[in-house]
Amino acid sequence: MALSDKYDQFYRTDGQAQRINDYPILKWPRNRVEAIVAVEGTGESIMDIGCGDGSLLYQFRNRYSHLIGLEYSAERLRQAEANLAALKFTPVQGSAEDMSQLVDNSVDRIITADVIEHIPDVYAASHEMFRVLKPGGWLVINTPNIAFIKKRLVLALGRFPSTSQPNEGLGSDVLFDGGHLHYFTYRSLRLVLERAGFQMVRPMGFGRFGVFHNLKPSLTSGGVQWVAKKPA
């Protein structure tokens, strides 16, 4: 079975338009979607890398006039098209490692939630994000935090600190650990982005205990989130 088929099977959808709820804009976001939405700013175009069913892009429908969704799974992309049919939405099937369908300096903002850990070549993907983003544009990216205190305790007990599936990543018989290939800390993700040319704006922590997750996010946040920009 091809990897794309496994993703279609793992993220199976019905292809019918679904109701999408609005997420609140919070000072202290509680999860990865709220953390992406909480970052200020408006513009003309926004692209979600790994857009899934389009629910994250939907949150930006009043802040950006053109929504672009890049998705590896054809099945999930069809779901996004159904969910965003009433909006100006451009679907793009493919990988972040090669976004040749998109021209240089063409997108105001790139968002991506829990996706970079799935991408085989993170260097190619980060350079492609830099290329597509307009000068002065922002990248808002998050991924599970392998240095989260809970993960450290699991590792100390001699178990693999998986970030998607239970039982040390064996919770699914389709994709090991939900297809996660890489594991990041705040520092390692920053270094990858800086290597591509990004200028770091700020880190953000998130979780259900509010401000606590921003006291020392490298330890207390379940996810790594960075806001970065392409120099003008």
Side-chain angles (χ1 to χ4, degrees):
M1 182 185 293
L3 183 59
S4 59
D5 295 329
K6 290 186 176 183
Y7 271 100
D8 285 347
Q9 182 179 341
F10 190 80
Y11 294 108
R12 191 175 301 281
T13 59
D14 60 16
Q16 303 297 313
Q18 301 168 340
R19 176 181 174 82
I20 300 175
N21 295 322
D22 283 312
Y23 281 77
I25 299 178
L26 301 175
K27 183 177 181 180
W28 306 116
R30 299 164 296 187
N31 56 55
R32 63 186 185 183
V33 174
E34 289 182 358
I36 295 279
V37 172
V39 179
E40 71 280 5
T42 60
E44 178 184 349
S45 59
I46 183 169
M47 178 170 66
D48 183 6
I49 293 178
C51 69
D53 65 3
S55 57
L56 179 54
L57 272 176
Y58 182 80
Q59 310 301 317
F60 291 88
R61 67 195 183 281
N62 297 319
R63 294 165 60 179
Y64 292 84
S65 56
H66 183 195
L67 311 178
I68 305 166
L70 177 79
E71 175 56 50
Y72 184 66
S73 166
E75 184 162 334
R76 298 197 87 199
L77 192 59
R78 284 192 292 272
Q79 185 67 60
E81 290 184 85
N83 290 342
L84 303 176
L87 303 172
K88 185 180 179 183
F89 172 60
T90 299
V92 181
Q93 186 180 1
S95 167
E97 298 158 309
D98 179 7
M99 297 190 286
S100 54
Q101 303 102 313
L102 301 166
V103 301
D104 297 359
N105 307 316
S106 59
V107 177
D108 291 297
R109 176 170 297 199
I110 293 175
I111 55 175
T112 180
D114 281 14
V115 171
I116 194 168
E117 67 274 11
H118 294 263
I119 299 171
D121 189 342
V122 295
Y123 294 147
S126 58
H127 279 91
E128 277 290 85
M129 288 187 274
F130 187 86
R131 177 186 67 79
V132 169
L133 201 61
K134 291 180 181 178
W138 281 15
L139 166 68
V140 185
I141 181 172
N142 62 42
T143 185
N145 180 13
I146 196 64
F148 179 41
I149 188 169
K150 182 178 178 181
K151 302 300 180 186
R152 298 186 189 207
L153 291 173
V154 169
L155 187 60
L157 292 172
R159 293 182 177 271
F160 175 63
S162 55
T163 51
S164 174
Q165 295 291 299
N167 192 26
E168 301 191 68
L170 298 173
S172 166
D173 59 2
V174 179
L175 290 169
F176 175 75
D177 202 17
H180 290 192
L181 304 175
H182 309 287
Y183 299 88
F184 291 94
T185 64
Y186 275 86
R187 182 178 184 273
S188 66
L189 183 56
R190 172 177 61 81
L191 292 174
V192 167
L193 297 177
E194 288 179 336
R195 177 177 288 197
F198 283 101
Q199 188 177 84
M200 309 314 289
V201 176
R202 65 177 182 269
M204 293 177 64
F206 55 88
R208 59 180 175 172
F209 299 115
V211 66
F212 166 77
H213 300 283
N214 276 275
L215 296 178
K216 188 173 178 57
S218 61
L219 181 66
T220 61
S221 177
V224 171
Q225 177 157 303
W226 277 104
V227 180
K229 68 180 293 187
K230 181 174 180 175

